[in-house]
């Protein structure tokens, strides 16, 4: 068959596809089936997501334009300039909807006697209290920055809110900027009987700003915010110490070039920001004007404050359950018998923490080796590693210093681990180590046993409650040997090893995908039953996409569950009409990566830390690992079916690249809700079993007494 694969109509642009994903996050704020405070949090998530996108992806495109780089991308043939134009158009529409629902949802809060008000809208007695609060708490921390021949335009901080001030006196017009210090709150709370009022700090400052400029008339004020380029290069070549280079890089990133200017025009719709545009060397398309407050991430804090007061306006609490494949058994004893499967957050992350704690304290444990990419601020994993080193175990930890926006935290963790006696390595030259692997070497009955944990998500007890991830603990000898070789490869000088069971990027994972798709095509030609399932965060790699298109054209059925970016367009007749693309955005962040090939009944199931993205498969150290236990394969297939049945949170991509909510013949079903229900049901069964066992022990004791 002649494959037609180079037509740009078969692909979605990566950046525009990401913006479509961010709109699906906005849709969760629109969805009336979500509790009110959760809907507000989705607006905050949208803003947080967009900040990173602007700082990295948009900044990178703007750099290309500045350097007169006009080569189109390989899939959609859009130049950097065309991509920026498309981003501007789509992002402005996303932002319009986001702010439309911000006002609607804040209006709904008023039904619960909660009001976001401007100081002028408060009762007179409250205005006086607010002025006193300004004088005592806010005013002392403010520094007005005049701009003239002697005082140049200041280097304003990335993502911080500022107030622009036009002022004048008898000598003429002047310009100044007031920065909101990071040490003061973003909003203040005041109560009046049953009513609770919240007032944004920038509104309080604007109301009393004349106190900062005595002798001047205040002609105009407005809040603004700058987003700077964070897509800077870490200079690994020649760095005597990567730790020092990362610290230098962090300082440099705060001073990156401005790439976006946001202006709050809610009080004055005529503001154009021309002065700021000139000073920041921006263009009109870089300016975003919002009819509402800047940086909606403050809604995270607001919702956190309100959830105790309004518990019915948040998701009903869910307690992660005991892992089905572990129950209440000891994790080390169970792993000697069979592989253990974990599915977070439906199943608790605590057994992984216990796995580390027990290793730290067990005198039979000789060594612990682990990769860390992102960990929580108060990590029990870090504490276990430090304790293990203090207990004279050989502890080797790879802390990936280049984990974007976690560099500062990871520098601190690296120093703490080194101080505790751990051997710390910082990653590999020009590659990010994104693998999730732990090796515990233990003496059991006189023999050395290698316990290996492999996962799709970070060793982060906090995000494990919010992200869907999978993992296994195994004592499989081949995987154990591979783990030893993997860590030796990271920590020493050696050629990349030949692995028995693991597939390790760079290159190996993409090669496996290509070979597996070819094999599936071959089976389909012979048996007519070809099937591929893949779940991931993003699909961007053109080589893999082309392989999937070839499989579709040969008749192989392909189901893709992709949360975010998808550069493949499904449903195009004769090209991708056997491919279905589903995206699920819900209560939990879909983060697990699952790859399944039917192979005429000789099923191959893999989990991985890697997406089908070029950067993951070529520019990172990633691990893809097989699921060998038939019962675990069966369990994961059952989970996969749920995602394909979802008709509440699932959206399906159409052949033009747009997404629509799934409609199918199943009864209403949300995959995440069903997985919570199943976990709780299993948890209740386990509790009944424990109670029955306890009751049986009591009865036996009673019989013995008789």
């Amino acid at each position: 068959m002649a494959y037609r694969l180079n037509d740009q109509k078969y692909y979605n642009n990566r950046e525009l596809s990401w913006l479509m994903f961010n709109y699906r996050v906005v849709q969760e704020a629109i969805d009336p089936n979500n509790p009110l405070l959760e809907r507000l949090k989705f607006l905050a998530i949208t803003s947080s997501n967009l900040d990173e996108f602007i700082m990295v992806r948009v900044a990178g495109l703007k750099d290309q334009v500045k350097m007169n780089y006009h080569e189109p991308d390989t899939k959609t043939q859009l130049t950097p300039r065309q991509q920026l134009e498309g981003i501007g158009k789509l992002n402005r529409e996303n932002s319009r909807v986001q702010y439309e629902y911000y006002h609607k949802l804040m209006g709904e809060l008023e039904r619960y006697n909660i009001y976001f008000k401007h100081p002028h809208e408060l009762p007179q007695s409250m205005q006086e209290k607010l002025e006193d609060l300004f004088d005592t708490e806010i005013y002392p921390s403010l520094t007005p920055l005049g701009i003239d021949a002697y005082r140049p335009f200041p280097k304003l901080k990335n993502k911080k809110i500022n107030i622009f001030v036009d002022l004048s006196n008898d000598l003429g017009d002047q310009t100044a900027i007031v920065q909101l210090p990071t040490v003061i709150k973003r909003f203040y709370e005041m109560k009046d009987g049953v009513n609770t009022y919240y007032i944004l700090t920038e509104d309080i400052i604007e109301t009393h700003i004349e106190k900062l400029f005595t002798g001047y008339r205040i002609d105009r004020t407005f809040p603004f915010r700058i987003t700077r380029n964070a897509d800077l290069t870490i200079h690994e070549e020649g760095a005597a110490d990567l730790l020092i280079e990362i610290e230098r890089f962090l300082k440099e990133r705060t001073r990156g070039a401005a790439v976006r200017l946001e202006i709050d025009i809610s009080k004055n719709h005529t503001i154009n920001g021309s002065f700021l545009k000139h000073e920041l060397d921006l263009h009109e398309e870089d300016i975003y004007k919002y009819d509402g407050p800047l940086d909606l991430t403050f809604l995270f804090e607001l919702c956190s404050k309100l959830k105790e007061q309004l518990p019915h306006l948040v998701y009903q609490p869910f307690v992660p359950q005991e892992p089905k494949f572990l129950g209440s058994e000891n994790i080390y004893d169970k792993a000697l018998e069979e592989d253990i499967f974990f599915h977070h957050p439906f199943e608790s992350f605590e057994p992984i923490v216990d796995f580390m704690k027990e290793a730290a304290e067990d005198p039979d444990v000789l060594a612990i080796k682990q990769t860390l990419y992102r960990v929580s601020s108060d990590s029990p994993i870090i504490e276990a590693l430090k304790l293990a080193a203090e207990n004279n175990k050989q502890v080797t930890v790879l802390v990936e210093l280049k984990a974007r926006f976690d560099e500062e935290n990871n520098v601190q963790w690296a120093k703490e681990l080194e101080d505790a006696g751990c051997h710390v390595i910082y990653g590999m030259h020009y590659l990010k180590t994104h693998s999730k692997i732990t090796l515990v070497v233990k003496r059991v009955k006189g023999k050395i046993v290698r316990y290996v944990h492999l996962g799709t998500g970070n060793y982060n007890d906090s995000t494990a409650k919010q992200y869907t991830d999978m993992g296994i603990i195994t004592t499989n000898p081949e995987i154990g040997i591979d783990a030893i070789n993997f860590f030796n490869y990271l920590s020493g000088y050696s050629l990349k090893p030949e692995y028995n069971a693991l597939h390790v990027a760079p290159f190996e994972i993409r090669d496996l995908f290509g070979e597996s798709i070819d094999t599936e095509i071959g089976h389909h030609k012979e048996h007519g039953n070809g099937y591929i399932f893949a779940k991931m965060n993003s699909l961007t790699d053109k080589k893999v996409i082309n392989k999937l298109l070839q499989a579709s054209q040969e008749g192989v059925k392909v189901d893709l569950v992709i949360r975010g970016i998808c550069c493949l367009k499904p449903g195009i007749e004769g090209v991708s009409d056997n491919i279905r693309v589903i995206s699920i955005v819900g209560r939990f962040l879909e983060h697990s990566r699952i790859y399944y090939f039917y192979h005429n009944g000789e099923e191959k199931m893999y989990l991985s830390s890697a997406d089908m993205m070029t950067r993951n498969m070529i520019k990172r150290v990633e691990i893809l690992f097989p699921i060998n236990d038939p019962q675990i394969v069966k369990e994961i297939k059952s989970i996969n079916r749920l995602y394909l049945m979802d008709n509440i949170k699932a959206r399906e991509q159409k052949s033009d690249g747009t997404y629509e909510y799934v409609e199918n013949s199943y009864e209403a079903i949300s995959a995440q809700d069903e997985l919570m229900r199943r976990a709780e049901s299993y948890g209740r069964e386990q509790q009944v079993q424990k109670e029955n066992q306890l009751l049986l022990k009591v009865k036996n004791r009673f019989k013995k007494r008789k």
Side-chain angles (χ1 to χ4, degrees), residues 466-490:
Q466 303 159 13
Y467 295 10
T468 71
D469 273 305
M470 295 178 174
I472 63 167
I473 287 179
T474 182
T475 53
N476 177 293
E478 287 192 337
I479 291 178
I481 291 169
D482 284 351
I484 289 282
N485 290 334
F486 175 80
F487 280 106
N488 289 345
Y489 170 57
L490 293 182

Side-chain angles (χ1 to χ4, degrees), residues 310-373:
L310 302 167
H312 60 294
L313 297 184
V314 297
Y315 291 127
Q316 290 302 302
F318 172 73
V319 178
Q321 303 295 308
E322 288 182 347
K324 181 179 177 180
F325 284 77
L326 176 63
S328 56
E329 295 184 57
N330 176 273
I331 204 164
Y332 284 91
D333 295 341
K334 184 72 170 178
L336 285 174
E337 301 169 8
E338 57 190 7
D339 292 353
I340 308 168
F341 173 68
F342 303 91
H343 191 195
H344 316 298
F346 312 103
E347 297 177 340
S348 174
F349 190 73
E350 278 304 305
I352 310 303
V353 175
D354 293 341
F355 177 67
M356 297 299 299
K357 287 181 178 178
E358 186 171 337
E361 296 170 352
D362 189 339
D364 289 325
V365 168
L366 309 177
I368 302 172
K369 302 185 180 189
Q370 187 173 54
T371 58
L372 294 179
Y373 192 75

Side-chain angles (χ1 to χ4, degrees), residues 238-479:
D241 188 329
L242 187 59
L243 205 66
I244 296 170
E245 171 59 23
I246 292 286
E247 290 175 322
R248 181 208 61 77
F249 161 80
L250 289 170
K251 293 176 183 176
E252 183 181 321
R253 188 162 69 189
T254 64
R255 301 191 290 265
V259 292
R260 177 182 62 170
L261 169 63
E262 298 171 287
I263 299 174
D264 177 353
I265 62 167
S266 58
K267 303 175 201 69
N268 186 344
H269 285 252
T270 65
I271 295 167
N272 59 29
S274 57
F275 177 83
L276 291 169
K277 180 178 74 172
H278 176 264
E279 290 292 334
L280 296 167
D281 192 23
L282 293 172
H283 300 93
E284 193 62 35
E285 63 265 26
D286 303 320
I287 302 175
Y288 286 81
K289 301 173 185 177
Y290 303 133
D291 187 12
L294 306 176
D295 189 11
L296 296 185
T297 60
F298 77 84
L299 294 171
F300 285 127
E301 183 182 352
L302 175 68
C303 294
S304 180
K305 287 180 70 71
L306 293 177
K307 68 179 181 181
E308 290 185 12
Q309 180 182 342
L310 302 167
H312 60 294
L313 297 184
V314 297
Y315 291 127
Q316 290 302 302
F318 172 73
V319 178
Q321 303 295 308
E322 288 182 347
K324 181 179 177 180
F325 284 77
L326 176 63
S328 56
E329 295 184 57
N330 176 273
I331 204 164
Y332 284 91
D333 295 341
K334 184 72 170 178
L336 285 174
E337 301 169 8
E338 57 190 7
D339 292 353
I340 308 168
F341 173 68
F342 303 91
H343 191 195
H344 316 298
F346 312 103
E347 297 177 340
S348 174
F349 190 73
E350 278 304 305
I352 310 303
V353 175
D354 293 341
F355 177 67
M356 297 299 299
K357 287 181 178 178
E358 186 171 337
E361 296 170 352
D362 189 339
D364 289 325
V365 168
L366 309 177
I368 302 172
K369 302 185 180 189
Q370 187 173 54
T371 58
L372 294 179
Y373 192 75
R374 300 187 199 277
V375 294
S376 62
S377 57
D378 187 20
S379 173
I381 298 288
I382 296 285
E383 292 306 311
L385 290 167
K386 288 158 64 175
L387 176 61
E390 290 163 8
N391 287 339
N392 297 318
K393 303 186 189 307
Q394 179 70 37
V395 181
T396 303
V397 189
L398 185 145
V399 180
E400 181 49 78
L401 297 185
K402 294 171 286 187
R404 197 189 300 274
F405 302 118
D406 262 12
E407 298 97 340
E408 189 170 1
N409 288 336
N410 287 1
V411 165
Q412 183 59 38
W413 288 133
K415 290 177 178 178
E416 282 194 26
L417 289 166
E418 284 180 335
D419 289 344
C422 301
H423 175 61
V424 180
I425 50 181
Y426 304 148
M428 296 194 74
H429 206 49
Y430 295 118
L431 298 172
K432 284 186 183 179
T433 302
H434 191 245
S435 311
K436 325 297 180 186
I437 181 172
T438 301
L439 170 66
V440 174
V441 180
K442 180 178 176 179
R443 186 182 292 107
V444 180
K445 296 180 180 179
K447 294 182 179 180
I448 297 298
V449 179
R450 303 174 185 90
Y451 294 82
V452 182
H453 175 268
L454 293 155
T456 67
N458 297 306
Y459 290 106
N460 187 317
D461 58 297
S462 178
T463 58
K465 297 171 186 173
Q466 303 159 13
Y467 295 10
T468 71
D469 273 305
M470 295 178 174
I472 63 167
I473 287 179
T474 182
T475 53
N476 177 293
E478 287 192 337
I479 291 178

Side-chain angles (χ1 to χ4, degrees), residues 559-571:
D559 284 324
L560 303 175
V561 179
I562 302 173
R563 184 192 81 218
I565 302 165
C566 179
C567 292
L568 178 155
K569 283 185 180 176

Side-chain angles (χ1 to χ4, degrees), residues 535-670:
K535 179 179 182 293
M536 67 201 84
N537 298 338
S538 298
L539 169 63
T540 66
D541 187 77
K542 191 173 182 182
K543 287 187 176 181
V544 172
I545 290 172
N546 286 353
K547 283 290 184 184
L548 291 170
L549 293 177
Q550 289 176 27
S552 173
Q553 291 174 17
E554 291 289 1
V556 176
K557 299 295 182 184
V558 181
D559 284 324
L560 303 175
V561 179
I562 302 173
R563 184 192 81 218
I565 302 165
C566 179
C567 292
L568 178 155
K569 283 185 180 176
I572 299 173
E573 187 175 355
V575 179
S576 58
D577 43 349
N578 285 306
I579 300 177
R580 176 170 51 158
V581 176
I582 300 295
S583 175
I584 291 177
V585 178
R587 174 173 180 168
F588 303 118
L589 181 80
E590 288 296 336
H591 195 250
S592 52
R593 288 87 162 193
I594 308 167
Y595 303 104
Y596 170 84
F597 305 91
Y598 181 62
H599 286 2
N600 192 38
E602 296 181 8
E603 302 168 295
K604 297 293 183 183
M605 177 79 77
Y606 303 95
L607 301 179
S608 183
S609 57
D611 293 315
M612 288 178 164
M613 301 180 76
T614 306
R615 73 173 190 194
N616 290 66
M617 297 185 290
I618 304 303
K619 299 178 181 179
R620 289 185 175 185
V621 179
E622 305 265 18
I623 293 177
L624 179 141
F625 54 97
I627 301 299
N628 297 318
D629 187 312
Q631 288 301 113
I632 299 178
V633 171
K634 182 180 177 182
E635 179 75 9
I636 297 174
K637 284 171 66 178
S638 172
I639 294 167
N640 295 348
R641 283 194 294 273
L642 274 180
Y643 284 111
L644 297 175
M645 292 166 65
D646 193 309
N647 52 22
I648 293 179
K649 293 299 183 184
R651 288 84 154 173
E652 183 170 2
Q653 188 187 160
K654 301 304 177 184
S655 59
D656 63 354
T658 60
Y659 286 79
E660 294 179 4
Y661 278 98
V662 167
E663 293 183 3
N664 57 35
S665 58
Y666 301 113
E667 291 184 12
I669 182 169
S670 161

Side-chain angles (χ1 to χ4, degrees), residues 19-290:
L19 284 169
M20 289 180 183
F21 155 68
N22 215 33
Y23 180 72
R24 296 195 290 278
V25 179
V26 175
Q27 284 183 312
E28 290 301 305
I30 297 172
D31 187 349
N33 294 311
N34 289 326
L36 177 56
L37 294 181
E38 304 295 348
R39 295 170 72 184
L40 284 167
K41 280 168 63 176
F42 277 112
L43 292 179
I45 292 168
T46 302
S47 289
S48 177
N49 288 348
L50 186 60
D51 280 347
E52 185 171 335
F53 177 75
I54 296 290
M55 287 189 290
V56 178
R57 303 304 304 182
V58 171
L61 288 169
K62 285 179 67 66
D63 282 345
Q64 291 179 35
V65 171
K66 285 179 182 176
M67 293 185 289
N68 294 316
Y69 181 85
H70 304 300
E71 290 296 313
D73 73 292
T74 59
K75 291 185 277 287
T76 56
Q77 297 300 302
L78 295 176
T79 66
R81 166 53 60 192
Q82 289 172 324
Q83 291 181 65
L84 286 171
E85 290 170 357
I87 288 168
K89 181 179 179 181
L90 190 51
N91 194 31
R92 287 176 203 284
E93 176 58 19
N94 284 3
S95 298
R96 184 194 65 77
V97 177
Q98 182 188 19
Y99 275 85
E100 175 188 343
Y101 276 86
Y102 166 79
H103 290 295
K104 286 183 179 180
L105 297 178
M106 296 305 270
E108 287 187 33
L109 268 182
E110 295 186 2
R111 286 192 274 166
Y112 305 95
N113 303 311
I114 293 166
Y115 302 88
F116 250 78
K117 293 293 185 182
H118 189 274
H120 292 319
E121 299 173 305
L122 296 172
Q124 185 60 39
S125 60
M126 278 195 173
Q127 290 189 36
E128 293 170 2
K129 289 180 182 177
L130 202 61
E131 183 171 6
D132 182 61
L133 183 149
F134 173 81
D135 291 340
T136 57
E137 289 192 31
I138 300 175
Y139 177 82
S141 65
L142 300 179
T143 303
L145 303 171
I147 301 170
D148 55 30
Y150 296 96
R151 291 167 287 198
F153 191 86
K155 193 71 174 181
L156 301 173
K157 290 184 179 180
N158 184 33
K159 300 194 300 178
K160 302 300 180 185
I161 292 175
N162 309 275
I163 297 172
F164 187 87
V165 187
D166 278 331
L167 60 163
S168 59
N169 62 12
D170 295 340
L171 299 176
D173 299 333
Q174 300 292 336
T175 298
I177 289 172
V178 178
Q179 296 180 313
L180 266 67
T182 54
V183 294
I184 61 175
K185 303 175 185 178
R186 178 67 197 279
F187 57 82
Y188 287 83
E189 176 185 290
M190 304 190 81
K191 290 185 180 290
D192 176 18
V194 297
N195 297 322
T196 302
Y197 298 93
Y198 290 99
I199 308 95
L200 288 166
T201 302
E202 59 263 37
D203 288 343
I204 300 172
I205 295 172
E206 282 189 279
T207 300
H208 300 288
I209 205 159
E210 74 281 351
K211 295 187 178 186
L212 292 167
F213 301 99
T214 53
Y216 283 85
R217 294 182 297 274
I218 305 300
D219 299 321
R220 183 181 65 164
T221 64
F222 61 84
F224 71 95
R225 181 174 183 257
I226 299 166
T227 315
R228 296 189 178 277
N229 185 345
D231 188 34
L232 304 175
T233 302
I234 296 172
H235 301 292
E236 298 180 59
E237 189 67 53
D241 188 329
L242 187 59
L243 205 66
I244 296 170
E245 171 59 23
I246 292 286
E247 290 175 322
R248 181 208 61 77
F249 161 80
L250 289 170
K251 293 176 183 176
E252 183 181 321
R253 188 162 69 189
T254 64
R255 301 191 290 265
V259 292
R260 177 182 62 170
L261 169 63
E262 298 171 287
I263 299 174
D264 177 353
I265 62 167
S266 58
K267 303 175 201 69
N268 186 344
H269 285 252
T270 65
I271 295 167
N272 59 29
S274 57
F275 177 83
L276 291 169
K277 180 178 74 172
H278 176 264
E279 290 292 334
L280 296 167
D281 192 23
L282 293 172
H283 300 93
E284 193 62 35
E285 63 265 26
D286 303 320
I287 302 175
Y288 286 81
K289 301 173 185 177
Y290 303 133

